Amino acid sequence: AAGFKLGVAIRRAAYSHGWFKTHRLNRPVVSVGNLTTGGTGKTPLVRLIAEILLKRGWKPSILTRGYGRSSGADLVLLQPASKREPDPREVGDEPALLARALPEVPIVVSSDRYRGGRMAEEQCHVDVHILDDGFQHWALARDVDVVLLDVTQELSDQALLPAGRQREPISGLGRAHIMVLTRTELGDPQPLENLVRKMNPKAAIFHASTKLSEFVDINNGRVYPPTAFEGEPVHAFCGIGNPKAFFADLRKWGSKLTAEDSFRDHHVYSGEDLGPIIMRVEKSGAKAIVTTEKDAMNSAPLIGGNFPFLACVIKAE
């Protein structure tokens, strides 16, 4: 962790002194990022920010690396379309999810976010960019830095990579313009807010919670209201940055969990993964299998089992 901290400082200094170049796009850039390696609820907030900008008359693009994709071109532009269903293997699971949720927003998938932003400006005539997971992406200049912090996870400079999940020291919060404390429905935000105020007194602070909008059956597209499985036993699994928060949310929303299966973040599910889950559901008497929208992008429809296979459709508030 000490070596990683030194490496972060050297890289930051290289950009500050101009040894590495920072490029600026023609249109303003709003970065949405984390201090940790994920699991803070970033994708729902990116969606919310895009929806807010659209309602106010802006034409946003989303610039994303497309983490987890295994094939496809170096740069992919998803043009606005009424029905977009890109392959998660070619664009990444989170961009594929955003493409379906925000059909009117162009999404550019590339490790070179400057090149992607120029393409969005030239071909889609956007007037603002949302830089997904951009807090440590110093190669692209930004006008607003939004940083998400999960109130259920403690911050500590002893938890820098690879010892923990933190990408840079807590002092990095001093660069943020806006900080969003997420999952406030699961914990007290005050201790984290006190730390944030100490590190950055000028930043605006918002509290965000996760709201269950509906369940969608991955097999047949059937939509269930958020109260459909209150008090019912369900088998939950996920492969996200903070699986404990997902399971805690399910319990808060009224479900009784017969199992909590965790996989690595961005895991692509095979029959070998889902087959044992089906067998355990049949033995436990669970009424459904439940996972996240992102995991649904990485799962094929279930073969076998007479029970719903549900994706939780969530929104940030």
Side-chain angles (χ1 to χ4, degrees):
F4 185 85
K5 181 178 180 180
L6 177 62
V8 169
I10 292 172
R11 181 168 176 265
R12 179 61 179 156
Y15 278 101
S16 298
H17 290 83
W19 303 329
F20 292 167
K21 189 168 182 180
T22 297
H23 299 276
R24 178 170 290 278
L25 290 165
N26 295 322
R27 301 301 182 185
V29 174
V30 178
S31 167
V32 182
N34 306 317
L35 205 65
T36 60
T37 54
T40 58
K42 177 176 57 61
T43 301
L45 189 69
V46 168
R47 174 179 176 178
L48 177 61
I49 291 173
E51 290 172 342
I52 291 171
L53 289 169
L54 286 167
K55 288 179 181 178
R56 298 195 176 193
W58 292 80
K59 294 177 62 179
S61 77
I62 295 175
L63 310 179
T64 177
R65 179 184 175 187
Y67 184 83
R69 62 190 185 128
S70 57
S71 61
D74 177 60
L75 189 151
V76 179
L77 170 61
L78 301 177
Q79 293 272 9
S82 57
K83 289 187 178 181
R84 294 190 299 192
E85 295 188 0
D87 186 347
R89 304 283 65 75
E90 294 183 0
V91 302
D93 47 21
E94 291 170 353
L97 179 61
L98 288 168
R100 295 187 183 190
L102 300 164
E104 62 272 68
V105 176
I107 298 175
V108 188
V109 183
S110 177
S111 58
D112 187 342
R113 259 62 72 86
Y114 173 72
R115 181 180 165 208
R118 289 296 302 271
M119 175 177 282
E121 290 175 352
E122 293 168 2
Q123 297 192 22
C124 303
H125 308 291
V126 302
D127 52 20
V128 62
H129 302 281
I130 302 173
L131 176 60
D132 177 44
D133 198 13
F135 193 48
Q136 291 81 26
H137 189 72
W138 294 309
L140 184 65
R142 71 291 309 276
D143 300 270
V144 180
D145 260 310
V146 182
V147 177
L148 284 72
L149 301 170
D150 186 336
V151 303
T152 68
Q153 297 181 327
E154 292 185 4
L155 296 178
S156 168
D157 285 354
Q158 302 301 315
L160 290 174
L161 291 167
R165 300 174 59 248
Q166 209 164 294
R167 293 173 173 177
E168 61 176 303
I170 300 173
S171 59
L173 294 176
R175 305 194 311 274
H177 300 99
I178 295 171
M179 282 183 257
V180 180
L181 309 186
T182 64
R183 298 201 172 98
T184 55
E185 77 278 9
L186 298 178
D188 179 10
Q190 198 58 53
L192 186 56
E193 182 165 345
N194 293 340
L195 174 62
V196 166
R197 287 290 183 205
K198 182 179 179 181
M199 303 307 301
N200 189 335
K202 295 182 179 179
I205 298 177
F206 294 88
H207 292 185
S209 59
T210 303
K211 178 183 177 182
L212 176 63
S213 178
E214 61 191 15
F215 294 102
V216 176
D217 195 315
I218 300 170
N219 285 330
N220 54 33
R222 180 179 174 183
V223 177
Y224 295 84
T227 57
F229 292 88
E230 283 187 2
E232 298 287 351
V234 300
H235 185 119
F237 77 90
C238 67
I240 58 176
N242 187 358
K244 291 182 179 179
F246 173 62
F247 300 139
D249 273 331
L250 285 176
R251 289 192 292 270
K252 184 175 179 61
W253 296 329
S255 294
K256 297 179 179 179
L257 306 190
T258 61
E260 302 175 7
D261 291 334
S262 300
F263 297 81
R264 63 177 177 81
D265 198 7
H266 302 281
H267 183 70
V268 179
Y269 297 92
S270 65
E272 294 180 354
D273 297 319
L274 298 177
I277 291 178
I278 295 174
M279 295 177 62
R280 291 170 63 192
V281 170
E282 291 174 341
K283 290 181 180 179
S284 69
K287 300 297 183 183
I289 296 176
V290 182
T291 191
T292 71
E293 276 189 290
K294 187 172 87 169
D295 288 291
M297 303 297 300
N298 290 322
S299 303
L302 286 182
I303 300 175
N306 297 316
F307 37 77
F309 183 17
L310 305 174
C312 292
V313 180
I314 63 171
K315 292 185 177 181
E317 284 194 330

